[in-house]
Amino acid sequence: MGDLAPPAVTFWGAAGSVTGSMHLVEAGGRRILLDCGAVRGYRGGHWSHHREFPFAARDIDAVVLSHAHIDHCGNLPDLVGHGFAGPIYCTPATREILALMLGDSARIQDEEAFVQNVIDADAEQAASPPVSRRHHVECTLQQCVPVPYEQATAITGDMQLRLVDAGHILGSAMVALTLDGSGRTKTLTFTGDLGRRESPLLRAPSSVPSADLVISESTYGGRLVESTARAAEHLATIVGRTVERGGKVLIPAFSLGRTQVVLYCLEEARRSGKVPAVPMFVDSPLAAAIAEVYGRYPESLNPEYAGGLRGVESATASNELSAAEGARYVRSSQESEELSRRREPCIVLAPGGMCDGGRILRHLKQNIDDPRCSVVLVSYQAPHSLGRKLLKPGPVIRFHGRFWNRWADFVELPGFSGHSDHNELLDFLTPLAGTSPSIRLVHGEPEAAGALAWALRERGFANVEMAKLGQRVVID
Ligand SMILES: [Zn+2]
């Protein structure tokens, strides 16, 4: 039995921004969270954790997680640390990737905390026990309840959940909820991050479920992004001319999502002879582990990709590789160091995508002054990130406390994005116009969400707004 209040949603993150996805749904006296993402800091490279929540964590009955990117899941251990003990519903693949992502993020935080303790030289702080984050990560994973795509599942109270393939990364889902309140049934759809229609790796997103309220992402509102196939052609050209002049191709890429797409396109291009047979390295233990998870879910992948997925091997940078072999995963830091000093032509994918941290930094330091080399930026570059600065022309660039000669070739290729662009978002949402849902746009900068809202009104949606932080919307 639901209470008399109609169902409502409050936006507690990713409202007017692309980070910290978190929305509170209240219905029939129950409270569930859609996502619980970390917030990316000003410079783009750091995630903020351990924050206070705008509600009591122990009062949340359940969480539904759309996918395992940190800006959607990174604050789950904090929620657990603040007393949340309920189930976390997600797809089986998301549960597996979540374990890797939260484990990696806990490791980075431990390292940062250690460095901070040394810097602070504060007796009290240095003596404090290591952050209990690892324990909270373990609890988070134990609280996960895997729900396969398209399986209607009763969750807390009278709520019904269905997860629908969003085609953004492996395991990504749109969330379709049926809610009871004030004696009437209401429906809500949350798109999470919505993938592209033509991904070489993943199946295309399913249709967006119709609902009384649709919460849609709007990352690329107002922007058209070239197709992945075109981006792959451009990348092949860049690789060709770089190898011809004896240089290396460096590709900063996030370990989850972008790395798998770019790697697939490079392997395809090499198989068909569009790029020269030089060794390819993925300098990321996390990407290696993620590739293994991708290999366990062939049914979620494009059949061609699933067939071509090969075993993940580690390799040292000095290995002689034949053209027939696929990419080699570099796990140890020492091997990574050797690879960064390698002078022969090769292709290196390494995190992080915005160059603010991760192994890509050592490759940049070793190669940025080599005019034969190319650096291909395939991820979104936040306004104050090092990646954004690197794209500005100029002979020198300052980072990590000194000036570096910026003599390598820098190119931006946004077409490997895992998000629908403006037209794709419109195509996915327009079929719902006939059912006149309310739409609230999240996960987009204000101009992006504004441009999409305007276009949706043109397509016949009467009630479209950009979500505001802390705003509560009643579904009636
Ligand atoms: Zn995402």
Side-chain angles (χ1 to χ4, degrees), residues 67 69 71-72 168-169 193 419 443:
H67 66 291
H69 272 143
D71 60 325
H72 294 257
H168 167 63
I169 58 169
D193 287 354
H419 288 270
H443 209 281

Side-chain angles (χ1 to χ4, degrees), residues 44-124:
H46 302 280
W47 297 101
S48 74
H49 296 275
H50 298 291
R51 63 181 188 173
E52 293 302 313
F53 289 93
F55 43 78
R58 64 185 71 250
D59 290 347
I60 300 296
D61 293 290
V63 172
V64 183
L65 177 60
S66 66
H67 66 291
H69 272 143
I70 289 294
D71 60 325
H72 294 257
C73 70
N75 269 350
L76 281 171
D78 305 275
L79 191 73
V80 168
H82 281 76
F84 167 67
I88 299 166
Y89 297 99
C90 61
T91 63
T94 293
R95 161 72 179 70
E96 285 198 54
I97 301 173
L98 183 70
L100 301 173
M101 297 301 284
L102 293 183
D104 188 66
S105 136
R107 179 188 57 77
I108 292 167
Q109 280 187 280
D110 282 356
E111 286 168 7
E112 284 173 356
F114 176 78
V115 170
Q116 198 57 49
N117 279 353
V118 172
I119 291 169
D120 289 349
D122 178 311
E124 207 174 318

